[in-house]
Amino acid sequence: MYGDLALQLVTASHRSTLATTPQLPLPKYSLPLILSICLETRQLGQSISAAAEQHGTDSLSQDRSLICNLTVQHLAARRNKRCLLAYLSTRVGGIKERWWDAGGGLAYLLGTQTTGDAEAPDMRSALSPQELDFLKGYNNLMLDYKSDFLDVLDLSAGIDKPPGEYMVDVRVVRDAGEVVLEGGERIDFRRGERFRLARGQVERLIVQGFLEEV
């Protein structure tokens, strides 16, 4: 049935947006299904073109059953395109959302899983090559935009809980390794250790889930 594959694509995409689990991993790009939808759409277009060439304009205007058949095919092809665009738009929104969730840390976002599930796909393997290029371009665009006032405000820092003071007590919940702070100080963040540091120096590690406030 025309449109079944497109319906399957958008239904799966919609379900992925309904979960309330934070840091939900982005579903893997549905390349086989997308290729099948594109093939169906091309076949519909070829069928319409072939019928138009075979019967001509005058015959088409007089044969109501043929007009009905071609109309159904045309609407099915348009619906496939709309479903593909909706799917891609949802994916783009999800990519940007996870970039912000990661505090703008592109290397962290692409190099780790977004949940504790060992079987969940990491961000890099979930993206298509075009989506990966988009993510890198979006990252570069945001870095260029915020660089002019980074000394005043970090746009990628979390805003759910506004800072109450300059210093913050944090506990390491995930090993982050050795990190060089803005002042040149080197700290080896190992799980379970506690530190009192300037919020601005560790804000990104807090957003990325390596540290938590205590």
Side-chain angles (χ1 to χ4, degrees), residues 70-134:
L70 295 182
T71 300
V72 170
Q73 294 185 49
H74 174 69
L75 293 177
R78 288 189 59 186
R79 184 174 182 274
N80 281 353
K81 294 179 182 179
R82 292 179 62 185
C83 289
L84 286 172
L85 291 174
Y87 173 78
L88 295 176
S89 177
T90 301
R91 297 274 300 181
V92 168
I95 291 171
K96 293 191 289 187
E97 179 181 350
R98 283 155 182 81
W99 185 88
W100 287 100
D101 288 342
L106 181 62
Y108 162 79
L109 187 60
L110 294 179
T112 62
Q113 295 171 332
T114 52
T115 67
D117 186 358
E119 297 181 356
D122 60 85
M123 188 71 169
R124 183 184 295 274
S125 65
L127 300 179
S128 69
Q130 294 77 16
E131 289 175 331
L132 185 58
D133 290 339
F134 168 80

Side-chain angles (χ1 to χ4, degrees), residues 56-206:
T57 305
D58 295 336
S59 298
L60 286 176
S61 61
Q62 298 175 1
D63 191 339
R64 293 187 177 182
S65 62
L66 180 59
I67 292 177
C68 180
N69 183 30
L70 295 182
T71 300
V72 170
Q73 294 185 49
H74 174 69
L75 293 177
R78 288 189 59 186
R79 184 174 182 274
N80 281 353
K81 294 179 182 179
R82 292 179 62 185
C83 289
L84 286 172
L85 291 174
Y87 173 78
L88 295 176
S89 177
T90 301
R91 297 274 300 181
V92 168
I95 291 171
K96 293 191 289 187
E97 179 181 350
R98 283 155 182 81
W99 185 88
W100 287 100
D101 288 342
L106 181 62
Y108 162 79
L109 187 60
L110 294 179
T112 62
Q113 295 171 332
T114 52
T115 67
D117 186 358
E119 297 181 356
D122 60 85
M123 188 71 169
R124 183 184 295 274
S125 65
L127 300 179
S128 69
Q130 294 77 16
E131 289 175 331
L132 185 58
D133 290 339
F134 168 80
L135 175 59
K136 293 179 179 179
Y138 185 78
N139 178 74
N140 293 336
L141 180 66
M142 292 305 303
L143 290 179
D144 182 63
Y145 176 75
K146 70 178 185 179
S147 61
D148 293 337
F149 44 87
L150 191 58
D151 56 333
V152 179
L153 174 67
D154 184 0
L155 288 178
S156 58
I159 59 174
D160 293 337
K161 184 178 181 181
E165 56 182 10
Y166 177 73
M167 303 297 291
V168 61
D169 294 313
V170 295
R171 179 174 61 243
V172 183
V173 295
R174 292 171 53 195
D175 291 337
E178 187 176 76
V179 177
V180 181
L181 303 182
E182 294 179 2
E185 181 182 4
R186 295 177 178 268
I187 297 181
D188 188 9
F189 290 100
R190 297 186 178 182
R191 184 175 180 179
E193 295 183 346
R194 295 193 178 194
F195 300 92
R196 182 171 178 80
L197 300 166
R199 177 180 291 274
Q201 294 182 324
V202 296
E203 183 71 33
R204 180 162 298 177
L205 293 176
I206 295 175

